[in-house]
Amino acid sequence: MEWFVEASNGYGLMIKVKRKLYEHRGLQHIEIYDTEFGKMLVLDGYIQLIERFESAYHEMLTHVPMLTHPNPKKVLIIGGGDGGTAREVLKHEPEEVVMVEIDDNVVKACREHIRIDRGAFDDPRLTLLIEDGIEYIRKSKERFDVIIVDGTDPSPASEPLFSADFFSACAKACGVYAMQSQSPALQESYFRMVLKNTSPFKLRKVYLSYIPMYPGGVWSFLLAGDVNTAVKDIRQRFEERRIETEYYTPEVHTASFVLPKWLECIVREYIENI
Ligand code: SAM
């Protein structure tokens, strides 16, 4: 057995791998491994998901915005080629889900070797478009109840997903918006870029999830738009929609907005009323 090592910013993650199941070099370098913790997807050397831990990412990225919206019928996912976010979105019984993923090979590889979508890619409510999410949002005249951006760490393909132009277009196109906003401890500059560039949204809040598959183990998310929802409404919606989860609960949802002091100080530099 060998170790897979992801190292950047002077910090590393080591995962014991049993064997490599798949590799493809195209738009991105895609690798899939079998590990001590289930299947693992790696893009351009960065771990995207490990089966044992992925619920802490996909459930928090999805259920926090979906339950913030009173009735999310039309949802846009940008990225998310492994199908985990689509799987969670469909639990809310939306009428229509559009997923815009730039790399067809990620979808094909995950459908064949990981299968965490659990049927989401075959669901008739899901329309999968293989194109750049930035181009899609620029030309689309559609309005969505919720937009979720499940993109990679900033790379040549995904960096524009962190730009002011992109956020401004998203703010016009949805009621509630959520994205992953990197590790504030280890990737502070990217986290600050998100806070700086998302100012077109009416309201913004930062929340956290404990995710062992990402560097530092604590990952941040941004929730934006119409996001002033009472805790009792979140709890009621969760019960009414009968969502089954592994990580998410309404209590975790509420607690995830409590930030450590150093992080709250950073967020206050960009958002007055957090
Ligand atoms: N947050 C997870 C992570 O970084 O570990 C994200 C996982 S998901 C696999 C990320 C997906 O975003 C990838 O499949 C990638 O192809 C897609 N992506 C990157 N840039 C994109 C863009 N500009 N438009 C649409 N999809 C994009």
Side-chain angles (χ1 to χ4, degrees), residues 163-219:
S163 68
D165 281 357
F166 174 72
F167 293 133
S168 180
C170 287
K172 287 183 196 130
C174 72
V176 176
Y177 172 91
M179 67 181 290
Q180 67 93 1
S181 47
Q182 308 293 134
S183 161
L186 295 168
Q187 297 156 316
E188 190 181 322
S189 59
Y190 284 125
F191 179 68
R192 283 182 180 274
M193 191 198 294
V194 170
L195 294 177
K196 183 167 170 272
N197 291 346
T198 50
S199 59
F201 286 100
K202 194 166 94 183
L203 293 169
R204 292 175 291 161
K205 293 180 177 196
V206 170
Y207 64 100
L208 300 174
S209 181
Y210 172 65
I211 311 178
M213 66 194 185
Y214 296 147
V218 175
W219 212 247

Side-chain angles (χ1 to χ4, degrees), residues 28 48 57 79 82 100-102 106 132-133 150-152 157-158 214:
Q28 300 170 100
Q48 305 293 304
Y57 175 76
D82 50 66
V100 183
E101 163 60 57
I102 202 167
V106 175
D132 188 336
D150 182 8
T152 41
S158 66
Y214 296 147

Side-chain angles (χ1 to χ4, degrees), residues 27-242:
L27 184 64
Q28 300 170 100
H29 179 198
I30 305 170
E31 296 168 277
I32 296 178
Y33 295 90
D34 194 12
T35 78
E36 297 279 292
F37 308 101
K39 309 276 172 48
M40 173 169 81
L41 171 68
V42 178
L43 294 182
D44 293 335
Y46 292 98
I47 297 169
Q48 305 293 304
L49 74 89
I50 303 176
E51 272 181 296
R52 172 83 65 83
F53 309 121
E54 58 89 9
S55 63
Y57 175 76
H58 291 118
E59 290 183 9
M60 291 300 282
L61 176 62
T62 302
H63 300 312
V64 172
M66 291 295 281
L67 289 160
T68 296
H69 195 286
N71 190 19
K73 290 293 168 216
K74 191 169 167 180
V75 180
L76 172 66
I77 301 168
I78 293 182
D82 50 66
T85 298
R87 174 195 75 206
E88 296 303 318
V89 164
L90 288 165
K91 290 181 180 175
H92 294 256
E93 302 294 348
E95 284 165 6
E96 190 186 348
V97 182
V98 178
M99 180 170 151
V100 183
E101 163 60 57
I102 202 167
D103 193 344
D104 199 13
N105 288 312
V106 175
V107 178
K108 284 186 189 143
C110 291
R111 286 189 83 165
E112 189 178 339
H113 296 283
I114 303 188
R115 292 189 284 271
I116 61 156
D117 68 289
R118 295 196 203 111
F121 288 122
D122 299 316
D123 193 297
R125 293 167 294 177
L126 182 85
T127 304
L128 173 64
L129 304 174
I130 301 300
E131 64 176 276
D132 188 336
I134 295 116
E135 290 309 314
Y136 176 84
I137 205 86
R138 264 191 207 135
K139 65 173 202 268
S140 167
K141 304 230 179 328
E142 307 250 346
R143 209 182 142 73
F144 295 89
D145 296 316
V146 177
I147 297 180
I148 299 175
V149 179
D150 182 8
T152 41
D153 288 9
S155 68
S158 66
E159 188 135 356
L161 295 177
F162 292 78
S163 68
D165 281 357
F166 174 72
F167 293 133
S168 180
C170 287
K172 287 183 196 130
C174 72
V176 176
Y177 172 91
M179 67 181 290
Q180 67 93 1
S181 47
Q182 308 293 134
S183 161
L186 295 168
Q187 297 156 316
E188 190 181 322
S189 59
Y190 284 125
F191 179 68
R192 283 182 180 274
M193 191 198 294
V194 170
L195 294 177
K196 183 167 170 272
N197 291 346
T198 50
S199 59
F201 286 100
K202 194 166 94 183
L203 293 169
R204 292 175 291 161
K205 293 180 177 196
V206 170
Y207 64 100
L208 300 174
S209 181
Y210 172 65
I211 311 178
M213 66 194 185
Y214 296 147
V218 175
W219 212 247
S220 73
F221 299 83
L222 184 91
L223 178 71
D226 277 326
V227 296
N228 256 352
T229 307
V231 176
K232 69 171 188 14
D233 293 331
I234 297 290
R235 199 166 287 131
Q236 191 182 339
R237 289 170 194 169
F238 180 69
E239 278 160 21
E240 281 170 3
R241 296 183 203 173
R242 298 171 188 271

